[in-house]
Amino acid sequence: MSRGKVPRQDGNTSATMTLLYMAAGGWIGQAVHVAAKLGIADVLEGGPKTPSEIATVTGAHPEALHRLLRMLAGLGVFAEDTEGRFGLTPLADGLRSTAPVSLRAFAVMLGDEMLWRPWGELLHAVQTGEAAFPYVFGAGLYDYLSTHPEAAAIFDAAITDRARQENKVVVDAYDWWPDTIVDVGGGQGSLLTAILAHAPNARGVLFETPHVAESAKTMIERAGLATRCSVVGGDFFRSVPARGDLYLMRRVMHGWGDQDAIAILRNCRKAIGQNGRLLIIEHILAPGNAPSWGKMLDVQQLVLTNGGRERSEEEYASLLTAAGFKLRRVILTSSTASLIEAFPVAESS
């Protein structure tokens, strides 16, 4: 069978079997999650091993682990040889912690209860238009993370790994000439540190919620950028640091409904100079029926947030106009991220 595809039945892939595997997709996601959580791909870096050998290292039950490995091997994640040993495949390689493009942390997050339980209430979200996350946990995602440090660590590791994978693509796609770059909602600073390494004459300001800002300071210091980059804690619904040349937001807008997104943009408009620029990095939803990671993330936002969504270019243009900006261009990249560049519109007297 073709690795990573729906298995064939009697030489044909029927629509019914394809739909069956889609309907059972939650099983597959949890199986990948468990493999990531146990670090099986890391154990196999030295070569194929038997389920018993893997179980000894990971602390799993040998027979149960064999059944999991057999299922995943049937999907192209791991492969069983004639001696009953399991080894890495191109798909399994992405679960290694040290892989150039590692999805291990992301797979751990996707299978964690903070995501699979709200997804189990997708029907509630679709019927009511309300986020499933607070329906399940009694609090919004970020409030929940602030009181559940283990979940927050899983979330931060996953987001940081995914961000790190697209950093080079984003950095190479843009001319980072400004003197001061203000990264609004910049997380732990992986993108800003990559930009500052690429643009040695630029300075940075990382702006985040206070508890995230504290952890970001460590990353900035480890990158040797403490003298060129300050870290500021605050609330972007109140204000953002002023006098920046470029205001940068990656994966911020998609977490908020239109009115909240406009409020954040207006605070950027108040802080930015007339010659400044705004750069939003997000998915751009395209029309048509083509498979789209952005369309899947759009439903993820429906599940997790009240009002968060992925948007089209026209929808971003509308938000920008409402906040006093004008969309100048959209830069597509080889990753799922697009760069949306805008300029402040002169305020009428």
Side-chain angles (χ1 to χ4, degrees), residues 102 105-106 153-167 186-191 219 250:
S102 175
F106 204 74
I154 292 171
F155 183 86
D156 289 344
I159 298 305
T160 298
D161 271 5
R162 284 290 286 157
R164 189 180 294 115
Q165 291 160 21
E166 72 179 20
N167 283 348
Q188 295 185 330
S190 70
L191 177 58
M219 178 173 284
R250 174 166 67 176

Side-chain angles (χ1 to χ4, degrees), residues 155-339:
F155 183 86
D156 289 344
I159 298 305
T160 298
D161 271 5
R162 284 290 286 157
R164 189 180 294 115
Q165 291 160 21
E166 72 179 20
N167 283 348
K168 186 178 188 308
V169 172
V170 169
V171 169
D172 290 345
Y174 197 70
D175 178 18
W176 306 95
W177 61 261
D179 292 329
T180 301
I181 302 167
V182 180
D183 191 353
V184 178
Q188 295 185 330
S190 70
L191 177 58
L192 187 55
T193 56
I195 293 170
L196 294 178
H198 178 81
N201 294 323
R203 300 183 64 83
V205 178
L206 183 86
F207 184 66
E208 255 294 358
T209 56
H211 76 279
V212 177
E214 282 302 313
S215 63
K217 288 180 181 178
T218 302
M219 178 173 284
I220 299 296
E221 291 170 357
R222 286 176 180 170
L225 295 168
T227 59
R228 291 173 53 206
C229 183
S230 59
V231 180
V232 179
D235 179 355
F236 50 41
F237 285 113
R238 293 179 177 272
S239 65
V240 301
R243 295 184 294 278
D245 300 298
L246 173 67
Y247 282 77
L248 171 68
M249 285 190 287
R250 174 166 67 176
R251 311 285 193 233
V252 173
M253 293 289 96
H254 78 162
W256 303 97
D258 288 353
Q259 293 308 308
D260 284 334
I262 291 170
I264 298 167
L265 288 169
R266 283 178 175 161
N267 282 333
C268 291
R269 179 63 186 87
K270 292 175 185 177
I272 199 170
Q274 192 56 46
N275 295 321
R277 291 184 287 175
L278 173 72
L279 193 66
I280 297 171
I281 302 172
E282 293 281 1
H283 291 277
I284 296 290
L285 292 182
N289 299 318
S292 167
W293 179 243
K295 292 174 183 175
M296 294 177 66
L297 282 184
D298 184 47
V299 180
Q300 169 89 314
Q301 293 303 320
L302 172 65
V303 168
L304 296 183
T305 67
N306 281 314
R309 64 191 61 224
E310 307 300 331
R311 296 178 172 91
S312 66
E313 180 176 338
E314 292 75 17
E315 288 171 321
Y316 276 111
S318 178
L319 293 181
L320 290 164
T321 298
F325 287 96
K326 181 177 178 58
L327 190 151
R328 182 192 178 205
R329 58 175 174 160
V330 172
I331 305 170
L332 302 179
T333 72
S334 58
S335 74
T336 57
S338 295
L339 282 63

Side-chain angles (χ1 to χ4, degrees), residues 43-60:
V43 175
L44 297 179
E45 282 184 317
K49 290 181 172 57
T50 66
S52 292
E53 291 172 328
I54 301 169
T56 298
V57 178
T58 62

